[in-house]
Amino acid sequence: MERGIAEGVLEPGAALPPVRRLADDLGVSPGTVATAYKELRRRGLVVTRGRGGTVVAPAPAVASRRPPRVPEGLRDLSGGHPDPALLPSLVPPSRLSPGARSHRSTPRLARLEDAVRDWLRPDGIPVEHVTFAHGALDLIGRLLSVELRPGDAVAMEDPGYHHLLDLVTALGLRIVPVAVDDEGVRPDAVRGALRAGVRALVCSPRAQNPYGGCFSAARRDALVEVLRDEPDVLVVENDHASAVAGAPLRTLTAGGLRRWVHVRTVSKFLGTDLRWATAACDATTLARHDGRLLLTSGWVSHLLQETVLGLMTDDDTRALVARAQDAYASRRVAVLEEFAGRGIEGRGVSGMNLWVPVRDESAVVNGLRSYGWWVAAGARFRLNSGPGVRITVADLEPADAVRLASDFAAVLGESEATYGG
């Protein structure tokens, strides 16, 4: 069954045979089939719907919601990647790690720790405890796996980052959708998730992917007020775009929460091949994360750490990152203004992506394809939220924005004519 799900033979929503019937067909005991179904549920591949039986999960984690291949000859606006022209050249450090020796006793370069604290401190993030990992997904996945058990509930943004949604499902955890708007996750939705018994909340303080929201000061304060009532809930703040988000950080971590972690990566502005993340967190979270890291990969490559440190402290790179932030902001605003001028609603107050609500995702994606554009259908990002498409505007110049908006308006007109207004 797992192979069938991975290969698409068993599609999302497909019903699995009742336990006793499948046991008879295969000549095995009902207990064997029930155990197999339980394991499939633990892996997040199937869900049980009471009298509705067991069905393939809406987003099977084994296959992941990988984007379809970009058709040849189309302008790709679906990937969520930075503009390569605004990334620094990656030059490995001249001093390589000497010999074959373990770094378990000193997993983090002290100089990089100092640089990280200097990076986080001005945003009001407590920096007493910091750690490193191999990217945000690696760090968040490790934390959730040590903090929670299969079947536990996690509050996730809706719409939200598809790889995080898949990761939580793959860990056997239950997702409770939390609605977002231009100011990030909504306090009423978080309160509802807490009532549903979630043990963790994963959210973005700015450049929320795909919606583009960012915390206002009022929203941050309201969320802290809600979360203070649940001191044992782990709050994971994923600041994935940080230096190029185009919006100030208003962090939850300075609000006196007991269990918290602020995660940052550099892939959006230093290079997508730099699989490195840092986190500031409370002492308990640090101990649990680093204890599991020690038992697995042990440490993050010192060669990688030296590369990140060299870029973070280089004046030319800092200037390039500042230019990138300005460029992404101006490109995002240009597209939004062109869309608004044609009556198209676009969401994206920070970051390098826009979320455009539409009635029929397939009609819009296929319609834009005929004009030479390739955008991401929103189904990969949605749980209970309405349909939409995500557009990455990182390398869209003003002239491109005009053409995209014009073509998008034409596609919407064609779609309305086809589907009856």
Side-chain angles (χ1 to χ4, degrees), residues 210-279:
Y211 203 88
C214 67
F215 291 165
S216 64
R219 174 61 56 85
R220 184 264 322 278
D221 293 345
L223 289 170
V224 168
E225 197 68 29
V226 171
L227 292 165
R228 274 189 189 140
D229 294 334
E230 300 288 344
D232 294 326
V233 171
L234 177 64
V235 177
V236 181
E237 190 173 75
N238 181 21
D239 192 21
H240 67 98
S242 60
V244 291
L249 175 70
R250 299 179 180 95
T251 179
L252 302 174
T253 65
L257 304 180
R258 201 182 94 170
R259 299 299 316 283
W260 60 272
V261 57
H262 177 90
V263 185
R264 281 192 187 179
T265 59
V266 296
S267 58
K268 296 298 184 186
F269 53 92
L270 295 185
T272 53
D273 270 339
L274 291 177
R275 308 314 301 166
W276 176 86
T278 187

Side-chain angles (χ1 to χ4, degrees), residues 302-344:
H302 279 205
L303 179 60
L304 175 58
Q305 291 187 49
E306 289 278 8
T307 302
V308 172
L309 176 62
L311 290 169
M312 288 181 66
T313 56
D314 177 68
D315 289 340
D316 289 341
T317 299
R318 287 174 171 172
L320 178 61
V321 171
R323 290 200 301 273
Q325 176 177 246
D326 293 341
Y328 295 145
S330 64
R331 293 169 187 178
R332 185 183 67 251
V333 169
V335 176
L336 286 171
E337 289 178 348
E338 292 295 337
F339 273 33
R342 292 165 175 78
I344 302 169

Side-chain angles (χ1 to χ4, degrees), residues 276-296:
W276 176 86
T278 187
C281 53
D282 65 88
T284 299
T285 300
L286 178 79
R288 292 178 179 177
H289 173 272
D290 285 7
R292 180 60 62 88
L293 179 67
L294 185 68
L295 294 172
T296 53

Side-chain angles (χ1 to χ4, degrees), residues 56 70 97 189 202 236 382 401:
V56 177
V70 180
S97 300
V202 181
V236 181
R382 296 189 291 108

Side-chain angles (χ1 to χ4, degrees), residues 165-189:
L165 298 176
D166 291 339
L167 173 63
V168 170
T169 302
L171 292 173
L173 304 173
R174 180 167 54 90
I175 293 177
V176 176
V178 175
V180 302
D181 58 24
D182 287 338
E183 297 181 72
V185 290
R186 289 169 30 190
D188 60 325

Side-chain angles (χ1 to χ4, degrees), residues 68-89:
R69 186 183 298 276
V70 180
E72 188 175 349
L74 299 187
R75 178 75 178 273
D76 183 14
L77 305 180
S78 67
H81 304 304
D83 184 349
L86 294 172
L87 296 176
S89 299

Side-chain angles (χ1 to χ4, degrees), residues 140 144 154-157 164 168 185 200-204 234 236 238:
I140 294 171
L144 295 180
V154 181
M156 302 292 293
E157 296 169 328
L164 269 176
V168 170
V185 290
L201 164 68
V202 181
C203 60
S204 303
L234 177 64
V236 181
N238 181 21

Side-chain angles (χ1 to χ4, degrees), residues 102-136:
S102 172
H103 294 309
R104 290 181 188 272
S105 59
T106 55
R108 295 183 292 275
L109 294 178
R111 291 174 296 130
L112 183 54
E113 278 196 7
D114 291 341
V116 163
R117 288 188 169 94
D118 291 342
W119 185 26
L120 301 179
R121 190 180 292 109
D123 288 321
I125 300 166
V127 293
E128 182 179 358
H129 306 290
V130 298
T131 190
F132 302 159
H134 300 94

